[in-house]
Amino acid sequence: MPLDPRLGRLFDLTGRVALVTGGNSGLGKGIAWALCAAGAKAVLVARRETELRAAVEEFARDGLQAAALACDLNDRKALAQACAKAPEFFGAPDILVNAAGINPRKAFTETADADWDATVELNLTVPFLLTRALAPAMRERGWGRIVNIASLQSVRAFPNSAPYGATKGGIVQLTRAIAEAWSRHGVTCNAIAPGLFRTPLTAALYADPKVAQAMAQRTMVGRNGEVPDVHGMAVFLASDASAFVTGQTLFLDGGFTAG
């Protein structure tokens, strides 16, 4: 029996507009692709314009609509300008995905002030600023979805990642705070906490097969994540299917944190 259309409509994003930071690569790009495949149009925001345009062209080959908006998100003036420009593509965003992030991967004692500041700004402050800028219009329309990216490091400490882990712990609480402030207006906020996924951000770990394999063995399914694993959860959290889910951090880690 085919899927009942009444159920399918819960996951249908036709007519929705998503703004996805870090949409040029990795999980951000994977999430943006999934939202577009579910019917949305996406504005991909990141610093590297060449990669952004390549992603837009890739989406177009799949029959999906996306636009590139180059922006140094750590530049607050540029960030404000990007928020003002984003609606020019497809209309005001009603889905915000905060996927952009960095991890300097330095020992605690070798982490410079600049490393800390840049990581906190992009990983934690930018999601706050974007939500503050875009959520009011979502409230006016009575519908919005905000999806943050947390991490295993939201709850576990890993070597050479103090700034990253601190920001990802903060994302869990920021997710709750956004949910408390906006959910009563139809704007929900949840976070996805991935395990180890093969992305440009984790290239340093995958460079050592023993490290990658050790992480895989700590999961319950016996492998690390691949980008398609995020598609279903992203569509769920961005759609009407998750209307009664807010303030939550959902771990997408193959059972890593359940063991």
Side-chain angles (χ1 to χ4, degrees), residues 192-245:
I192 298 172
L196 180 61
F197 275 64
R198 188 187 296 273
T199 70
L201 190 65
T202 61
L205 296 179
Y206 274 94
D208 187 338
K210 291 183 179 180
V211 172
Q213 183 58 30
M215 289 290 288
Q217 290 174 350
R218 294 175 68 179
T219 71
M220 291 180 176
V221 300
R223 66 173 178 86
N224 294 318
E226 298 292 343
V227 171
D229 291 320
V230 80
H231 291 169
M233 187 176 288
V235 173
F236 168 68
L237 292 178
S239 69
D240 286 331
S242 61
F244 201 54
V245 180

Side-chain angles (χ1 to χ4, degrees), residues 39-181:
K41 299 175 183 177
V43 179
L44 313 182
V45 184
R47 183 168 51 86
R48 295 186 292 274
E49 187 168 7
T50 300
E51 290 185 12
L52 280 172
R53 296 199 177 281
V56 169
E57 291 172 3
E58 180 181 332
F59 284 23
R61 289 193 293 271
D62 288 335
L64 309 177
Q65 286 187 274
L69 180 52
C71 174
D72 180 355
L73 292 166
N74 278 11
D75 180 332
R76 295 198 184 186
K77 182 178 180 180
L79 179 65
Q81 292 172 341
C83 288
K85 184 174 179 58
E88 296 178 7
F89 296 100
F90 307 115
D94 38 26
I95 301 168
L96 168 63
V97 180
N98 291 303
I102 57 172
N103 185 353
R105 297 192 187 279
K106 294 182 180 180
F108 199 111
T109 55
E110 296 175 2
T111 301
D113 290 0
D115 297 321
W116 175 269
D117 291 344
T119 306
V120 171
E121 184 74 15
L122 182 57
N123 293 9
L124 187 57
T125 303
V126 166
F128 167 78
L129 295 175
L130 285 171
T131 299
R132 190 177 66 181
L134 300 179
M138 299 180 190
R139 176 184 59 195
E140 291 176 7
R141 295 189 298 275
W143 195 96
R145 297 288 184 268
I146 298 168
V147 180
N148 295 324
I149 301 300
S151 169
L152 287 179
Q153 296 198 52
S154 297
V155 295
R156 300 279 182 92
F158 285 83
N160 304 326
S161 294
Y164 183 81
T167 60
K168 292 306 181 179
I171 278 291
V172 172
Q173 185 56 29
L174 179 62
T175 297
R176 296 188 185 111
I178 294 170
E180 189 280 330

